[in-house]
Amino acid sequence: MHDSRRVLLIGSGGREHAIARRLTQSPRLERLWVTSQTHPGLLELGTPVDCPVHAREIYRLVSFCDRHAIDLVVIGPEDPLAEGFADALASNTRLVFGPTKQAAKLEADKAWAKQLMRSASIPTAESRTFTDPEKALAYVESREEPLVVKAAGLAKGKGVIVCSNTDEARDAVERIMKQRVFGDAGSTVIIEERLTGPEISVLALVDGRTICIMPPCQDHKRLLDNDRGPNTGGMGAFCPTPLATDDIMQRVEREILIPTVDALRREGITYRGVLYAGLMLTHAGPKVLEFNVRFGDPETQPLLARFRGDFLTLCEQTAAGRLADAEFTFDGRSACCVVLASAGYPDKPRTGDRIQGLDAVRNMDNVVIDFAGAARDEQGHIVTAGGRVMGITALGDTLESARSLAYEAAGRISFPGMQYRTDIASQATAGQRA
Ligand code: AMP
Ligand code: GLY
């Protein structure tokens, strides 16, 4: 029986490196293709595709998949999902892990997502949507409570401005809607009440019907310790988080995930892939800050470090609507990921800095390196090639031991201008010690 699979993985970050490692551990993998020509980790695990990977030339990727008899496509990032790659690449003989363009609006169109949440009474911040900057400004003037102003479209995770007062909110509307600092993503804004509480990320696999909730994670979006400095794509993450008690997880499933999938179905959308809920744990219970339609980065790195099972088969079961048959577990240990970023990140990441110490970390047990903005120079040395250069993820019997092992490994790596936070998971571990 032909049971081996030819798989294409789309994306080139730390998340995709972690996904590729799990795919290549499957005994059912025949061959893996990747869409990066430069990522040093992906190129060790897969073969780069020999065609452009753009929405406007999607037919080239479709023809690549046909030519190479690809059985399964796994889509990592949000942009290709929002551009309809899943719709274009799926066929009678090919499964796609990742939602359709229409379903991806849950992340790509925050105004639509808010409307969906409202229609299904899903707990989220009270909000209003505006397409006219003057009306948005008038609304801001009429409010007294602190507000959050969000560009409705995709803005690389940076389109959210949390404001402390009316001046800041006015300024946020001006920047997003008039100056268009996030481009067309800011033609519509959502202005919402500012919630307070700790944040968690809950990721679930969804096959259209069945929802399989994975262990809760926490990420750290700000550049500097103690949540200071600019927002980034994520400077570290850990899994599980002790903040998400069983009671909270049950509420998340019952009040948020199930009603969301049901509401999508009422819209005629069969959601298949990862549904990621960014949540704030408020006094009134968990509320949705945002939905993402993919694995989180860097949450995936600690999450998949704990995954035990056949990831390729799981992706296939999710894509085929057979999640009910899936068999997998998560390691009982904790995982902590520390991101090492380049000089100048996030504004102007410097590239070309040589990275030292990788072999010393590769020899450590219970530690993995997931590359992101890294490449090889002409001599074959691994150098910085983007903002978040790599994540170092460690497993430990406790979150404290995972965290200290991740930092021990991070301390062995060096490159000019390397930046990292020293407090990933520290609040959670302090809470556990107390
Ligand atoms: P988002 O991309 O929507 O998750 O927003 C990015 C970050 O902005 C979140 O991780 C929160 O820290 C913050 N944020 C978003 N919405 C709100 C809100 N309604 N109240 C308070 N903080 C928020
Ligand atoms: N870690 C946040 C995200 O993936 O959007």
Side-chain angles (χ1 to χ4, degrees):
M1 195 180 100
H2 169 70
D3 192 42
S4 61
R5 293 289 181 264
R6 300 161 71 85
V7 180
L8 167 66
L9 172 63
I10 296 178
S12 58
R15 163 184 52 211
E16 286 76 24
H17 194 179
I19 290 174
R21 187 177 306 100
R22 287 305 184 203
L23 289 171
T24 53
Q25 285 166 354
S26 167
R28 297 180 58 231
L29 181 72
E30 181 181 321
R31 188 161 172 197
L32 178 69
W33 280 267
V34 297
T35 58
S36 173
Q37 309 289 329
T38 52
H39 187 292
L42 291 172
L43 293 182
E44 269 175 30
L45 299 170
T47 312
V49 299
D50 59 3
C51 69
V53 183
H54 297 301
R56 60 178 185 281
E57 290 180 294
I58 189 69
Y59 63 93
R60 290 181 188 264
L61 199 59
V62 172
S63 119
F64 175 89
C65 289
D66 290 344
R67 226 170 36 246
H68 293 275
I70 302 287
D71 302 293
L72 172 70
V73 182
V74 178
I75 304 179
E78 61 275 24
D79 288 322
L81 291 165
E83 288 165 346
F85 275 46
D87 312 62
L89 294 170
S91 76
N92 287 341
T93 56
R94 187 160 52 241
L95 292 167
V96 178
F97 180 90
T100 59
K101 180 173 183 164
Q102 210 190 358
K105 275 166 62 186
L106 206 51
E107 174 168 0
D109 182 351
K110 284 183 197 279
W112 186 83
K114 275 286 184 187
Q115 179 60 41
L116 187 93
M117 285 188 261
R118 243 190 309 269
S119 75
S121 303
I122 291 160
T124 183
E126 288 298 328
S127 72
R128 294 273 304 269
T129 298
F130 296 92
T131 49
D132 177 345
E134 300 313 323
K135 287 190 178 148
L137 287 169
Y139 178 72
V140 163
E141 299 294 344
S142 73
R143 310 305 298 183
E144 286 183 356
E145 72 279 14
L147 298 172
V148 178
V149 183
K150 303 183 171 186
L154 287 181
K156 308 236 169 288
K158 294 176 190 143
V160 173
I161 303 180
V162 180
C163 309
S164 309
N165 52 49
T166 307
D167 283 348
E168 286 180 21
R170 200 185 301 119
D171 189 53
V173 171
E174 296 269 352
R175 290 182 50 214
I176 296 178
M177 298 193 90
K178 292 193 172 168
Q179 296 164 26
R180 291 292 172 97
V181 292
F182 306 116
D184 287 346
S187 59
T188 300
V189 295
I190 290 99
I191 302 182
E192 63 182 37
E193 65 172 321
R194 181 171 163 181
L195 303 173
T196 51
E199 284 179 46
I200 62 170
S201 311
V202 176
L203 284 72
L205 294 162
V206 179
D207 75 349
R209 251 187 321 262
T210 305
I211 298 173
C212 213
I213 196 161
M214 293 186 279
C217 307
Q218 245 177 289
D219 76 345
H220 299 257
K221 287 202 173 87
R222 301 292 199 97
L223 180 70
L224 304 174
D225 283 1
N226 299 315
D227 290 328
R228 287 201 300 261
N231 253 322
T232 71
M235 294 298 290
F238 58 95
C239 173
T241 166
L243 284 178
T245 59
D246 289 348
D247 176 54
I248 288 177
M249 292 300 278
Q250 276 161 20
R251 286 188 71 174
V252 170
E253 183 159 24
R254 197 176 58 235
E255 297 172 14
I256 294 170
L257 296 173
I258 293 173
T260 300
V261 174
D262 286 347
L264 286 164
R265 204 172 321 114
R266 282 197 296 276
E267 297 281 319
I269 297 171
T270 304
Y271 192 98
R272 289 189 173 151
V274 175
L275 178 57
Y276 164 143
L279 304 171
M280 197 163 255
L281 304 180
T282 73
H283 290 301
K287 293 193 180 186
V288 178
L289 295 176
E290 63 164 347
F291 281 120
N292 293 325
V293 295
R294 50 169 174 86
F295 276 110
D297 191 338
E299 289 94 331
T300 304
Q301 290 82 316
L303 186 66
L304 289 193
R306 298 183 55 217
F307 179 80
R308 298 291 172 261
D310 181 336
F311 190 68
L312 189 165
T313 301
L314 180 61
C315 290
E316 212 171 46
Q317 286 165 327
T318 306
R322 289 191 286 107
L323 203 43
D325 301 337
E327 286 176 19
F328 63 98
T329 58
F330 286 88
D331 194 309
R333 292 176 292 172
S334 293
C336 178
C337 169
V338 176
V339 170
L340 309 182
S342 58
Y345 180 69
D347 296 333
K348 275 188 84 180
R350 192 171 74 199
T351 59
D353 286 310
R354 273 201 184 180
I355 302 167
Q356 312 289 343
L358 292 167
D359 284 338
V361 174
R362 286 197 187 105
N363 289 330
M364 292 171 74
D365 288 334
N366 294 315
V367 177
V368 291
I369 299 175
D370 292 306
F371 287 114
R376 286 187 193 273
D377 67 10
E378 280 166 11
Q379 287 84 44
H381 289 281
I382 297 187
V383 297
T384 65
R388 291 187 290 174
V389 177
M390 72 185 93
I392 309 268
T393 302
L395 280 168
D397 288 334
T398 60
L399 185 55
E400 174 75 42
S401 62
R403 170 184 142 74
S404 79
L405 186 60
Y407 275 110
E408 187 190 327
R412 296 186 186 183
I413 305 272
S414 64
F415 53 85
M418 177 169 113
Q419 314 188 62
Y420 62 93
R421 279 181 66 156
T422 63
D423 66 344
I424 304 302
S426 70
Q427 270 195 354
T429 52
Q432 280 187 326
R433 276 198 305 272

